[in-house]
């Protein structure tokens, strides 16, 4: 079952519209027909997305995430792999392995796009506006959205 890009983005936007922070990324993957698994890997590997008729969800795809990484990191990895599914499904081939720097063999341009969409998923600007209060600092917002403080600082465009 292949879903059109517009349909995938609608699923993401509907998920975000219904959400209070933090955004739950595994249910979002499931809505896109993807199953998510933890994997025992060295720290140098972040995650993988692959076509897997056995372990994959309705879409046929499965995401694997490094079980040893902290939760905020795992959430970013899952969002990044979801982004590859949305933007680069036709290039996943036998599987995309993202190292610790989120390099998978795709171009750095495509990895940047995946990182940007991952940030849009985890830290929607609309929700940040809605759920932050004057004086909220990076630490508070990072906690609220369950992301790393450095990711939130980048999102807000403040030095960290
Ligand atoms: Zn990647």
């Amino acid at each position: 079952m292949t879903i059109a890009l517009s349909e995938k983005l609608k699923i993401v936007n509907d998920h975000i519209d219904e959400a209070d922070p933090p955004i739950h990324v595994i249910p979002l993957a499931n809505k896109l027909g993807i199953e998510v698994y933890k994997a025992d890997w060295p720290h140098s590997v972040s995650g993988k997305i692959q076509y897997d008729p056995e372990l994959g969800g309705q879409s046929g795809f499965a995401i694997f995430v490094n079980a040893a990484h902290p939760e905020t990191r795992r959430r970013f990895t899952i969002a990044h792999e979801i982004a590859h599914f949305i933007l680069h499904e036709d290039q996943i081939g036998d599987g995309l392995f993202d190292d610790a720097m989120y390099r998978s063999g795709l171009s750095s341009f495509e990895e940047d796009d995946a990182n940007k969409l991952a940030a849009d998923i985890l830290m929607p600007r609309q929700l940040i506006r809605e759920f932050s209060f004057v004086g909220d600092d990076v630490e508070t917002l990072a906690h609220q959205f369950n992301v790393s403080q450095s990711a939130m600082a980048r999102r807000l465009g403040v030095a960290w």
Side-chain angles (χ1 to χ4, degrees), residues 80-81 84 96-98 102-104 106 110-111 114-115:
H80 179 97
E81 300 306 331
H84 277 319
L96 287 181
F97 239 121
D98 272 292
Y102 298 104
R103 290 175 303 215
S104 70
L106 296 187
E110 288 161 321
E111 292 301 337
N115 283 333

Side-chain angles (χ1 to χ4, degrees), residues 44-78:
S44 56
V45 179
S46 291
K48 185 182 191 188
I49 182 163
Q50 68 181 35
Y51 184 75
D52 190 322
E54 218 162 288
L55 295 176
Q58 250 191 324
S59 70
F61 286 90
I63 287 172
F64 299 84
V65 60
N66 194 329
H69 284 173
E71 188 187 9
T72 52
R73 179 64 185 262
R74 292 199 310 271
R75 284 166 47 74
F76 189 87
T77 297
I78 294 167

Side-chain angles (χ1 to χ4, degrees), residues 1 3 7-9 11-12 27-34 58-59 82 85-86:
M1 175 188 76
I3 322 175
E7 180 60 22
K8 289 173 178 173
L9 290 173
I11 291 169
V12 171
L28 173 59
N30 295 157
K31 284 181 188 173
L32 289 160
I34 304 168
Q58 250 191 324
S59 70
I82 288 173
F85 172 74
I86 291 171

Side-chain angles (χ1 to χ4, degrees), residues 108-125:
S108 59
F109 179 75
E110 288 161 321
E111 292 301 337
D112 283 349
D113 282 348
N115 283 333
K116 277 183 201 142
L117 182 52
D120 285 340
I121 289 170
L122 289 168
M123 299 168 282
R125 294 196 187 280

Side-chain angles (χ1 to χ4, degrees), residues 13-47:
N13 288 329
D14 287 350
H15 184 75
I16 289 169
D17 283 346
E18 292 164 7
D20 289 345
I23 303 294
H24 297 293
V25 286
I26 293 175
L28 173 59
N30 295 157
K31 284 181 188 173
L32 289 160
I34 304 168
E35 290 294 323
V36 179
Y37 301 90
K38 284 183 184 168
D40 293 317
W41 286 326
H43 268 279
S44 56
V45 179
S46 291

